[in-house]
């Protein structure tokens, strides 16, 4: 009888699972699927800028050098992008001499100090759902932006998606240049500058394409 009792006790112990543990749910993110790295397509991606001043504005573009977009399932979850600052162009000035002067000034220590800082980078730290955006954006992107060797956290709305092995993101980010030690013409630092003032904030409009 004793011989039969011990195996029976062992079987009972193995099957004595509480209802709570049997119905335990896996919370989202507790078992993360592996992220896939999609390669940025610089030739298909664009990055434009607009800077405003009291008397008007200027616009242009810079080119992505390289980058990756991290995808989990059908969601963009991260990414790192490198911008070639040497590709900086001004588009609104057609006169070659004036165009060259402005590009030269933007390349100088007064602005982006491109000779010392030939690249800028942006690293995504989070992508969260966004609903009810009037411009059709479906996510809020947060990340670390590095300009002139200075890193600051920024957030902006964007339209993101993944389909057929292609990840895409588009939107406009507003950046306070003074946080990156770009103070030239800023009324925040030079109060008497008058109508020569340049706005502290400029915008970067992007359209990013990455492929699996």
């Amino acid at each position: 009888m004793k011989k039969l009792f011990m195996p029976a006790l062992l079987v009972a112990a193995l099957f004595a699972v509480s209802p709570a543990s049997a119905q335990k749910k896996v919370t989202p993110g507790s078992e993360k699927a592996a992220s896939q790295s999609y390669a940025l397509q610089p030739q298909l991606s664009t990055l434009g800028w607009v800077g405003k001043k009291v008397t008007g504005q200027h616009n242009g573009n810079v080119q992505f050098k390289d980058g990756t977009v991290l995808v989990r399932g059908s969601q963009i979850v991260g990414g790192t992008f490198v911008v070639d600052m040497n590709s900086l162009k001004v588009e609104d000035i057609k006169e070659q001499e004036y165009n060259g002067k402005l590009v030269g000034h933007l390349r100088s220590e007064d602005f982006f100090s491109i000779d010392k800082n030939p690249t800028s980078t942006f690293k995504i730290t989070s992508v969260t759902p966004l609903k009810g955006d009037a411009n059709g954006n479906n996510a809020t992107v947060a990340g670390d932006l590095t300009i002139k060797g200075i890193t600051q956290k920024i957030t902006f709305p964007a339209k993101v998606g993944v389909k057929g092995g292609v990840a895409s993101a588009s939107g406009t980010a507003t950046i306070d240049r003074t946080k990156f030690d770009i103070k030239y013409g800023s009324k925040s630092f030079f109060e008497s500058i008058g109508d020569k003032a340049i706005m502290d904030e400029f915008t970067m409009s992007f359209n990013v394409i990455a492929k699996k």
Side-chain angles (χ1 to χ4, degrees):
M1 185 71 180
K2 187 176 181 181
K3 291 181 179 179
L4 293 173
F5 176 74
M6 292 303 293
L9 185 63
L10 178 60
V11 170
L14 289 173
F15 283 92
V17 181
S18 66
S21 60
Q23 297 175 14
K24 184 178 180 182
K25 294 181 180 180
V26 178
T27 56
S30 62
E31 292 185 6
K32 293 182 178 179
S35 299
Q36 291 185 307
S37 181
Y38 284 36
L40 178 73
Q41 306 294 301
Q43 73 280 9
L44 301 177
S45 304
T46 59
L47 185 60
W49 59 265
V50 175
K52 296 183 179 181
K53 53 185 180 178
V54 173
T55 57
Q57 67 178 45
H58 293 297
N59 67 275
N61 65 75
V62 285
Q63 300 297 316
F64 287 104
K65 185 175 182 180
D66 55 48
T68 57
V69 174
L70 296 180
V71 175
R72 188 177 299 132
S74 61
Q75 304 294 322
I76 293 176
V77 295
T80 302
F81 310 91
V82 180
V83 176
D84 178 10
M85 295 303 293
N86 278 300
S87 69
L88 186 147
K89 293 181 180 179
V90 174
E91 295 181 318
D92 64 292
I93 301 174
K94 304 304 179 184
E95 203 279 314
Q96 189 172 0
E97 183 178 356
Y98 185 27
N99 187 299
K101 285 182 178 180
L102 181 53
V103 170
H105 196 191
L106 292 173
R107 292 180 58 91
S108 75
E109 296 284 342
D110 285 341
F111 286 93
F112 296 102
S113 189
I114 291 176
D115 287 344
K116 294 180 181 178
N117 303 278
T119 60
S120 294
T121 61
F122 178 65
K123 182 177 181 179
I124 296 174
T125 55
S126 68
V127 180
T128 56
L130 175 64
K131 295 181 179 180
D133 182 86
N135 296 315
N137 298 307
N138 61 359
T140 297
V141 179
D144 297 325
L145 176 64
T146 302
I147 298 175
K148 293 182 72 173
I150 299 170
T151 301
Q152 298 285 346
K153 295 184 181 301
I154 65 169
T155 61
F156 51 87
K159 184 177 182 179
V160 302
V162 180
K163 186 177 181 180
V166 177
S168 62
S170 60
T172 299
T174 300
I175 301 163
D176 184 345
R177 63 188 177 93
T178 64
K179 292 183 177 181
F180 300 91
D181 195 32
I182 305 174
K183 301 173 182 177
Y184 181 87
S186 170
K187 209 167 185 177
S188 300
F189 296 90
F190 308 99
E191 294 181 2
S192 61
I193 201 167
D195 63 3
K196 294 183 180 179
I198 300 170
M199 304 305 153
D200 290 348
E201 293 183 335
F202 70 99
T203 59
M204 299 290 293
S205 297
F206 59 89
N207 184 29
V208 170
I209 300 295
K211 292 184 178 181
K212 190 174 180 179

